[in-house]
Amino acid sequence: MTTLQEPVRQATQAAPVEYVLQAIDLKRHYAVDGGFLKPAKSVKALDGVSFSLQAGRTLAVVGESGCGKSTLARVLTMIEPPTAGQLLYRGQDVSRADPALAKLRRSKIQIIFQNPYASLNPRKRIGDILEEPLLINSPLDARERRAKGQAMMERVGLRPEHYGRYPHMFSGGQRQRIAIARGLMLEPEILVADEAVSALDVSVRAQVLNLMQDLQRDLGLAYVFISHDLSVIEHLADEVMVMYLGRVVEQGAKEAIFGRPLHPYTQALLSATPRLNDAARRERIKLSGELPSPLNPPPGCPFSSRCHRVMPVCRERLPALLPQGGRQVACFAVEQDLEK
């Protein structure tokens, strides 16, 4: 009897989740000259960020300017190497200095920048810009590169006659479509979008967001979507990661974060989001003071100088990011609430 039931028991076990991208305790510190006869200081722009991302899913990263969002984007694409930590693509550490891993990373992880005009070479035609990644990273000949570039332009909603034009001849929304097309030329599995729609008009922003959702559905892309616009995040994300001064303060499923934010910083951010429905509006929580200097952060919790729920322990110890209330939260006040 036991031998007959054993295969059944094994078959009912859930298959292990496969992650396309994993960040493990990523850090990015910058050495800063302290001045004449003064010791050098360190800016911890990224201080121990971890997450796991599945194919076809969107991780949204939110927070104020200076919280480390763009630094995270640069580290994920290895524009800047991490000071410490690991970046895994399907289990392989692509943050190591290895030419083969660097080639794999370039083909599988691409980035879309905030300002498409600044990221497109104004002296090159659009066709040349799209073909350049293939010229460097693939064995395709000129005819094959052109065919693939034109097919990608059509996929993002641009016309064939646009192929020979220069970036200045396009609108902001069209330039961002070109940037998206260039990011997809090597057929990546992960796109890092650093404020990719924040510079666009509202109507154009909606068109680009719809395009990104269509591409994700058709190609199975995973997104790391960085934005300060919480209404966009609520529309697009599967999981939300809230950052403050280089650290993650709350992380979990979108429904949990937007339905019941726990960290005081997350509560303050969501309370500032405009709502048309009176029932969905939250009581406004105003943050006092400015974001602390990363050169001289406050002792203990970095949010303690602005938090409306600060306690003595907050100024003494740094809270750990722990599973609480169906998500991960780094806050002593939340620990106290959930213990009651």
Side-chain angles (χ1 to χ4, degrees), residues 276-296:
L276 295 177
N277 185 0
D278 290 339
R281 291 179 183 173
R282 304 174 187 271
E283 182 181 353
R284 182 67 188 272
I285 300 173
K286 294 184 179 180
L287 296 177
S288 60
E290 298 293 332
L291 192 75
S293 169
L295 276 172
N296 187 28

Side-chain angles (χ1 to χ4, degrees), residues 23-41:
I24 302 174
D25 200 27
L26 283 180
K27 298 181 180 181
R28 178 58 181 167
H29 299 172
Y30 300 93
V32 179
D33 188 1
F36 183 66
L37 297 180
K38 293 182 180 180
K41 295 183 178 181

Side-chain angles (χ1 to χ4, degrees), residues 5-322:
Q5 289 181 342
E6 189 65 28
V8 177
R9 189 180 301 115
Q10 292 178 354
T12 56
Q13 292 179 352
V17 177
E18 184 177 4
Y19 296 109
V20 67
L21 184 67
Q22 289 179 282
I24 302 174
D25 200 27
L26 283 180
K27 298 181 180 181
R28 178 58 181 167
H29 299 172
Y30 300 93
V32 179
D33 188 1
F36 183 66
L37 297 180
K38 293 182 180 180
K41 295 183 178 181
S42 177
V43 174
K44 298 179 179 180
L46 207 64
D47 196 23
V49 173
S50 300
F51 65 83
S52 299
L53 181 62
Q54 294 175 253
R57 306 279 288 178
T58 299
L59 170 70
V61 184
V62 301
E64 293 173 285
S65 297
C67 73
K69 303 189 302 295
S70 293
T71 301
L72 176 62
R74 292 194 297 271
V75 170
L76 292 180
T77 50
M78 293 299 290
I79 294 173
E80 296 183 17
T83 304
Q86 293 179 294
L87 180 65
L88 306 182
Y89 164 74
R90 295 194 180 276
Q92 298 185 72
D93 187 0
V94 293
S95 61
R96 292 192 289 115
D98 183 299
L101 290 175
K103 184 176 181 180
L104 176 67
R105 185 189 65 248
R106 285 195 300 270
S107 64
K108 298 302 179 182
I109 308 174
Q110 286 290 318
I111 187 169
I112 306 168
F113 295 99
Q114 178 177 358
N115 186 346
Y117 188 66
S119 66
L120 300 175
N121 190 335
R123 297 184 178 183
K124 285 192 174 185
R125 292 181 173 88
I126 299 307
D128 296 328
I129 291 174
L130 295 182
E131 291 182 28
E132 188 172 23
L134 299 175
L135 181 65
I136 297 171
N137 297 283
S138 79
L140 300 179
D141 59 30
R143 182 181 59 81
E144 292 171 324
R145 291 196 302 269
R146 183 178 180 87
K148 191 167 184 178
Q150 289 178 331
M152 188 58 68
M153 282 190 65
E154 183 180 357
R155 180 177 280 275
V156 299
L158 295 173
R159 296 195 296 272
E161 59 266 28
H162 292 157
Y163 206 72
R165 297 181 183 177
Y166 290 90
H168 73 271
M169 303 169 74
F170 295 89
S171 66
Q174 288 175 318
R175 284 196 287 263
Q176 197 60 285
R177 288 173 184 267
I178 294 166
I180 293 171
R182 180 181 59 181
L184 295 175
M185 289 301 294
L186 295 178
E187 300 179 5
E189 294 187 55
I190 303 115
L191 273 185
V192 180
D194 185 11
E195 299 279 7
V197 296
S198 63
L200 305 178
D201 294 338
V202 175
S203 60
V204 178
R205 183 183 309 176
Q207 295 172 13
V208 173
L209 288 174
N210 289 335
L211 169 65
M212 294 184 70
Q213 286 185 307
D214 292 341
L215 292 171
Q216 185 176 50
R217 182 193 63 237
D218 297 340
L219 304 177
L221 295 171
Y223 289 146
V224 178
F225 194 88
I226 295 169
S227 178
H228 64 273
D229 191 334
L230 292 174
S231 60
V232 170
I233 294 301
E234 189 174 11
H235 174 69
L236 198 66
D238 296 299
E239 186 174 348
V240 179
M241 186 165 71
V242 184
M243 293 184 63
Y244 187 83
L245 216 62
R247 299 181 65 87
V248 179
V249 297
E250 188 166 0
Q251 182 177 350
K254 174 186 68 176
E255 294 79 11
I257 301 294
F258 279 85
R260 186 185 171 219
L262 295 181
H263 196 282
Y265 180 59
T266 311
Q267 292 172 349
L269 290 180
L270 291 179
S271 73
T273 305
R275 298 282 183 174
L276 295 177
N277 185 0
D278 290 339
R281 291 179 183 173
R282 304 174 187 271
E283 182 181 353
R284 182 67 188 272
I285 300 173
K286 294 184 179 180
L287 296 177
S288 60
E290 298 293 332
L291 192 75
S293 169
L295 276 172
N296 187 28
C301 175
F303 188 58
S304 61
S305 61
R306 306 172 72 193
C307 182
H308 64 281
R309 299 195 61 193
V310 63
M311 303 184 296
V313 67
C314 301
R315 295 190 172 97
E316 299 169 0
R317 292 193 289 125
L318 183 67
L321 189 66
L322 300 172

